Amino acid sequence: MDGLIWQLSVAVIALAFVALVVFLIKTLKAAENSLDKTSQTLQEVQKTIDELSYEVKQVVRHANGITEDVQGKMKKIDPVLETVKNVGDILNEVTISAKQVSSALIDRFKKSPAEIRGESTFSSASAAKAAVQSPSERTVDSYAAVYSDKKTKQSWVKWVDVAAGVWQRYRA
């Protein structure tokens, strides 16, 4: 009986080993299928990455072209911006000059008639003329009366008045 138990034990062990091998084969086949699918997926991902890298390179090249174009245009605009800055500086100087002339004129008008008669040859006829004149004409005339070189000073003041008028219209 001892021999029969041995044979039976060996047969059970052989059947268990066969069952184990069958399950291992099924598991290995499933793992092989998973690895094949993973390999296919990785190949597809690699192909997609290659396509995307080409497109990204194209986008970068296009962006570089746009950047170069914008830089070129900015270099072309720089002189215009410098000119606008210079015009602003000039208008600022003209405004300051107009303020100075206006202040001098206001100071002159604030003086009493006795002070004006004592300091200048401002007659009642010229006072009547000043009352009828426009503010810019009064500015030119009063400036010319104060300074002896009438032609140079008068033309300069006219230009200041014109510039001040342009500046006021520009600001409005």
Side-chain angles (χ1 to χ4, degrees):
M1 199 121 158
D2 232 359
L4 185 61
I5 291 182
W6 267 106
Q7 288 178 351
L8 203 50
S9 295
V10 168
V12 168
I13 291 173
L15 282 177
F17 184 73
V18 167
L20 178 66
V21 167
V22 167
F23 284 116
L24 281 176
I25 289 173
K26 285 183 178 181
T27 303
L28 289 174
K29 288 246 185 212
E32 182 183 21
N33 287 339
S34 294
L35 286 174
D36 286 343
K37 288 181 181 179
T38 303
S39 176
Q40 288 174 354
T41 303
L42 286 175
Q43 287 174 355
E44 290 175 7
V45 166
Q46 183 65 38
K47 184 179 176 183
T48 304
I49 288 173
D50 290 342
E51 291 172 359
L52 286 176
S53 69
Y54 174 77
E55 290 178 13
V56 167
K57 287 177 185 176
Q58 292 293 70
V59 168
V60 168
R61 286 186 190 120
H62 186 68
N64 286 341
I66 290 173
T67 301
E68 288 175 11
D69 185 41
V70 167
Q71 286 175 345
K73 289 179 180 176
M74 289 300 290
K75 286 180 183 177
K76 289 179 182 177
I77 290 176
D78 280 345
V80 173
L81 295 177
E82 186 67 27
T83 301
V84 169
K85 180 188 174 293
N86 291 340
V87 167
D89 291 343
I90 290 170
L91 286 175
N92 188 27
E93 290 175 14
V94 166
T95 303
I96 290 170
S97 297
K99 284 181 182 179
Q100 289 172 346
V101 168
S102 296
S103 295
L105 185 63
I106 289 171
D107 288 344
R108 180 151 175 86
F109 282 124
K110 283 183 180 178
K111 292 181 181 179
S112 68
E115 289 175 327
I116 294 174
R117 272 186 244 122
E119 292 178 5
S120 69
T121 57
F122 195 38
S123 67
S124 61
S126 61
K129 179 182 173 191
V132 177
Q133 292 177 328
S134 69
S136 63
E137 291 172 337
R138 283 186 296 208
T139 302
V140 172
D141 287 344
S142 65
Y143 191 81
V146 172
Y147 297 97
S148 62
D149 188 11
K150 289 185 180 180
K151 289 185 180 179
T152 305
K153 302 296 182 181
Q154 196 172 17
S155 65
W156 183 82
V157 173
K158 282 184 182 179
W159 281 110
V160 169
D161 277 342
V162 168
V166 169
W167 177 248
Q168 287 176 350
R169 287 185 185 145
Y170 174 74
R171 285 180 45 191

